[in-house]
Amino acid sequence: MSAPLLFALTPGEPAGIGPDLCLLLANQQQAQILIAIANAQMLRERATLLGLSCSIIEVTPAAWPTQPAAAGSLYVWDTPLSSPVRPGVLDKANAAYVLETLRRAGQGCLDRDFAGMITAPVHKGVINEAGITFSGHTEFLAELTATEQVVMMLATRGLRVALVTTHLPLKDVAGAITAQRLQRVSRILHADLRDKFGIARPRILVCGLNPHAGEGGHLGREEIEVIEPTLERLRDEGIDLIGPLPADTLFTPKHLDSCDAVLAMYHDQGLPVLKYKGFGAAVNVTLGLPIIRTSVDHGTALDLAGSGRIDTGSLKVALETAYEMADSQS
């Protein structure tokens, strides 16, 4: 049996439910060595508030643990806060702390200390209010790892959906579906399904942009002029792409049972289906990075912080996915 691997866990916004999720998760024995990169005292205070008996074990890069923590305990790489934390109350003074946890995790992955990183939600607004330009985890990690192009993919049991475009107004989507972008995204999706998920020959279903995939040009010409020619060129490279298919019939067992992932053209084309299928048990995976990064599929839920009324399902899936991805590379 191979030795357990180390993974970094970042609790995200300290006033949100991220710390709660990490503490609740610590009740369960982990298959791998999980290191929470967070403020140790803040976690102790949150555990007391939640009524949890969780042993916080401080560790450092000088002497990483060699075995997973016992159930009811959590390894923590202590990271200093600038201001005390009140659950549910944002404080821009702690914006730099949030980014430092991400930097430590990402750099640790680059340095091969960690086999991957799992992230709980951050609050973009309060980070920007602190005068720090921040678009999100994905952009931060892309810059840290000097990665030019990344791809957003959400997954739940039985379905993976990657996106050609992400957070764009609908009126801008058609213009953003270029041959260059479609090629880059398709190549990254194919490569990471193969290299990080261990799928020897990934089979990818591709959504059309327009209703009925353009219906032969009567409902739009993007399929004819951009999507179909690009997919044909990519097939010549050995990438198994089926489509473009009408999105309203693609997401049915007839098609999904024989594919490894779906490539949707825009955010609300693919993700509503995935979240309907696996809400609370889905994971966000950043493809294209030289490291493994998975994340929960929900926000900070400030109103629930410290209440104990939360579901750890998405974080569990994020952990399981990161473990499986690392195992497929070993």
Side-chain angles (χ1 to χ4, degrees):
M1 184 176 179
S2 59
L5 301 172
L6 274 75
F7 288 82
L9 172 63
T10 58
E13 168 53 50
I17 63 169
D20 308 45
L21 290 169
C22 296
L23 291 164
L24 288 167
L25 196 77
N27 284 327
Q28 303 161 19
Q29 181 69 50
Q30 292 298 311
Q32 305 288 0
I33 302 168
L34 198 60
I35 311 292
I37 303 178
N39 183 261
Q41 183 57 29
M42 180 269 294
L43 288 176
R44 292 187 181 101
E45 292 171 0
R46 190 68 61 90
T48 299
L49 180 62
L50 293 169
L52 295 175
S53 178
C54 182
S55 175
I56 302 298
I57 304 170
E58 296 188 37
V59 297
T60 70
W64 291 128
T66 58
Q67 294 296 324
S73 58
L74 181 66
Y75 293 131
V76 178
W77 182 5
D78 187 37
T79 306
L81 283 162
S82 296
S83 179
V85 174
R86 285 195 295 157
V89 180
L90 295 171
D91 186 344
K92 63 184 181 182
N94 287 323
Y97 155 82
V98 173
L99 297 186
E100 175 61 12
T101 66
L102 296 180
R103 189 201 63 77
R104 287 185 176 189
Q107 190 61 50
C109 289
L110 288 173
D111 294 341
R112 306 300 176 127
D113 286 342
F114 303 129
M117 60 184 288
I118 301 96
T119 60
V122 297
H123 194 286
K124 299 175 189 175
V126 75
I127 296 174
N128 282 281
E129 286 174 12
I132 304 170
T133 301
F134 180 79
S135 301
H137 280 107
T138 302
E139 294 81 3
F140 180 91
L141 293 172
E143 182 176 354
L144 180 68
T145 61
T147 303
E148 291 186 8
Q149 178 73 41
V150 294
V151 173
M152 177 179 174
M153 183 178 81
L154 267 71
T156 190
R157 291 175 179 87
L159 180 61
R160 302 183 185 96
V161 177
L163 304 176
V164 178
T165 64
T166 53
H167 300 118
L168 286 179
L170 196 56
K171 65 182 179 61
D172 297 335
V173 168
I177 306 294
T178 63
Q180 183 182 35
R181 182 192 287 258
L182 185 53
Q183 286 174 2
R184 286 199 308 261
V185 170
S186 299
R187 288 169 180 150
I188 290 170
L189 175 58
H190 170 80
D192 274 14
L193 288 173
R194 182 191 62 206
D195 300 337
K196 292 182 179 175
F197 286 86
I199 302 169
R201 183 171 169 76
R203 184 175 174 85
I204 301 166
L205 301 184
V206 182
C207 296
L209 172 65
N210 297 294
H212 301 180
E215 202 160 284
H218 295 288
L219 294 176
R221 296 192 58 81
E222 285 83 3
E223 287 78 10
I224 293 172
E225 295 176 359
V226 178
I227 300 174
E228 290 176 2
T230 303
L231 297 186
E232 194 57 41
R233 286 193 293 272
L234 291 165
R235 290 185 192 107
D236 290 340
E237 299 177 10
I239 302 178
D240 190 359
L241 298 164
I242 298 90
L245 299 173
D248 63 343
T249 54
L250 181 153
F251 289 100
T252 56
K254 172 185 174 183
H255 295 293
L256 295 179
D257 287 350
S258 61
C259 85
D260 297 299
V262 172
L263 182 57
M265 292 294 138
Y266 56 95
H267 187 281
D268 281 12
Q269 182 182 57
L271 297 194
V273 180
L274 183 133
K275 292 195 175 185
Y276 176 77
K277 177 178 174 60
F279 190 74
V283 57
N284 188 335
V285 184
T286 306
L287 305 179
L289 294 172
I291 65 175
I292 290 172
R293 180 258 170 165
T294 66
S295 179
V296 296
D297 72 338
H298 56 73
T300 54
L302 295 167
D303 58 321
L304 295 177
S307 72
R309 302 190 310 273
I310 57 173
D311 187 346
T312 59
S314 182
L315 184 57
K316 288 179 184 176
V317 178
L319 283 165
E320 291 168 3
T321 302
Y323 296 166
E324 290 167 3
M325 292 171 69
D327 186 59
S328 73
Q329 295 182 309
S330 61

